[in-house]
Amino acid sequence: MADREELRRKVIEAIDQHRDRILEVAETIRVNPEIGYQEYKASALLASSIREFGYEVEKPAGGLETAFVAARHGRGDGPVIAVLAEYDALPGIGHGCGHNLIAASGLAAAIGLGAVMDHLNGIFEVIGTPAEEGGAGKVRLAEAGIFNDVDASLMVHHGGDRTDAPVEWPEGTCLAVAHVDFEYFGKPAHAAADPYNGANALNGVIKLFTGIDALRQHIHMESRIHGIITHGGDAANVVPKYAAAKFYVRAASRAYLEELLDKVKKIAEGAALMTGTEVKITEHEICYDMRPSYVIGKRYRENMEAVGMEISPRDPGRGMYSTDFGNISYLMPAVTGSFAISKEPIPGHSQQVVDASGSEFGYEQLIKVSKAMALTALDLFLEPELLAAAKEEHRNWDKLAAQ
């Protein structure tokens, strides 16, 4: 078996050798944005590109047409280490979250690990996960059993102008989120001639908003509840028979999210009672808070430095965002490496991200962080004690978070 340094060199050289192909995939996905569950071109391009490097590809996977699992077997039995790829865009903005870079990092990692898997025990997988932006693709894949045999998972994500990996609590944590739709059904009537014969569905929605506004005074500081009216009626002189709203409910933990969600649903029911209407509540998949592996995160950061990345940590504290990767972090050790794509701060979900995710600097950073991620995966294959420590940390996460 080749020694450790030789294997690391092979990983890096393979990624460098196919740099142009990796960036071509990143740019093709960037200029052809597709929203969640409609990433037909992106998923096909990524899956076929990985297949060319000796991977067995299952597509579709987990019952999702734009999901896939690409696997490369080593020389014998061992752990299953996965890199997760995202490739969905934002409606109206395109790749304002830089998922084209995440997709290309999956290809880069496949190339790097593909160059050394014949020397390793275990299986390396790239899992194509659609619809992170509001579609909870990873949640559906987890429910379908796609992650049942995976021992640890890795990702990358742009960090604006910052580069780092989480190494201590509460770095890398984020908010759990529930997406909830509320529909109110009333009774139409002429708004001037006989309003007393109507039941105003819009009033139900308005009372929902005012009730939630009152609740906000009494929730934990890191919680967030925000929503919009998606339908408010059809004509100003007709009592609305139908009105609807969409809310996101966020909290620092899955447990408190469920508690908060129960309160919001009671407010919705109370609003219906107050206005003589009926309410239909539709709950979508819940994305859990992120439980990053600090054991793997520390190695990830070391590998970032080893490939020449300048570490520039984010401000300390929980990230006020949500991701379906949180659900995966409840199943196994999981961590995301963040990397700068801009030398100046840029807002998330913006045209600036679209531009930076196709910039020379952004692509240079992509290649570097992909090497760091691939080397971290290599370490998990080569060092059973590293993976064991990560699993021990994962088992004791609640104690870690309570410190």
Side-chain angles (χ1 to χ4, degrees), residues 115-286:
V116 297
M117 284 307 297
D118 289 344
H119 300 280
L120 304 175
N121 293 321
I123 302 172
F124 180 68
E125 294 183 344
V126 178
I127 303 177
T129 62
E132 190 274 339
E133 297 290 354
K138 295 181 190 63
V139 180
R140 296 188 184 184
L141 291 176
E143 291 172 347
I146 292 297
F147 295 95
N148 286 357
D149 297 325
V150 179
D151 291 285
S153 56
L154 305 170
M155 277 190 61
V156 304
H157 200 290
H158 91 82
D161 64 331
R162 302 299 180 94
T163 297
D164 200 11
V167 298
E168 63 181 3
W169 169 266
E171 295 174 3
T173 59
C174 69
L175 299 177
V177 63
H179 300 182
V180 193
D181 296 332
F182 300 94
E183 297 176 279
Y184 283 81
F185 301 89
K187 181 181 177 182
H190 194 290
D194 64 336
Y196 40 81
N197 287 325
N200 195 318
L202 178 58
N203 281 347
V205 170
I206 291 171
K207 294 301 181 184
L208 170 68
F209 271 80
T210 58
I212 288 174
D213 285 343
L215 175 65
R216 284 196 183 97
Q217 301 176 56
H218 308 289
I219 63 178
H220 294 175
M221 292 293 290
E222 291 181 317
S223 301
R224 301 286 188 271
I225 311 175
H226 44 96
I228 59 171
I229 297 175
T230 57
H231 192 87
D234 299 303
N237 63 343
V238 178
V239 174
K241 66 177 180 180
Y242 175 80
K246 180 183 295 290
F247 272 86
Y248 284 10
V249 182
R250 304 184 195 253
S253 70
R254 169 189 174 186
Y256 186 59
L257 174 65
E258 292 173 347
E259 178 182 334
L260 197 55
L261 186 58
D262 185 60
K263 293 180 179 181
V264 170
K265 289 190 290 186
K266 287 179 179 178
I267 290 172
E269 293 164 355
L273 184 64
M274 292 170 66
T275 56
T277 59
E278 296 182 0
V279 63
K280 177 183 177 183
I281 303 172
T282 303
E283 298 180 54
H284 302 281
E285 290 88 352
I286 292 177

Side-chain angles (χ1 to χ4, degrees), residues 36 68 100 113 115 130 164 193 223-224 310 316 332 339-340 356 371 385:
F68 68 85
N100 62 306
L113 269 297
D164 200 11
S223 301
R224 301 286 188 271
E310 181 179 347
M332 71 192 72
F339 64 107
K371 292 176 182 176
E385 64 276 12

Side-chain angles (χ1 to χ4, degrees), residues 2-20:
D3 65 26
R4 176 191 179 89
E5 289 308 311
E6 183 179 351
L7 293 174
R8 288 173 65 88
R9 179 179 56 77
K10 286 179 177 291
V11 168
I12 291 172
E13 287 181 351
I15 293 174
D16 281 335
Q17 180 182 352
H18 296 283
R19 172 192 177 95
D20 290 346

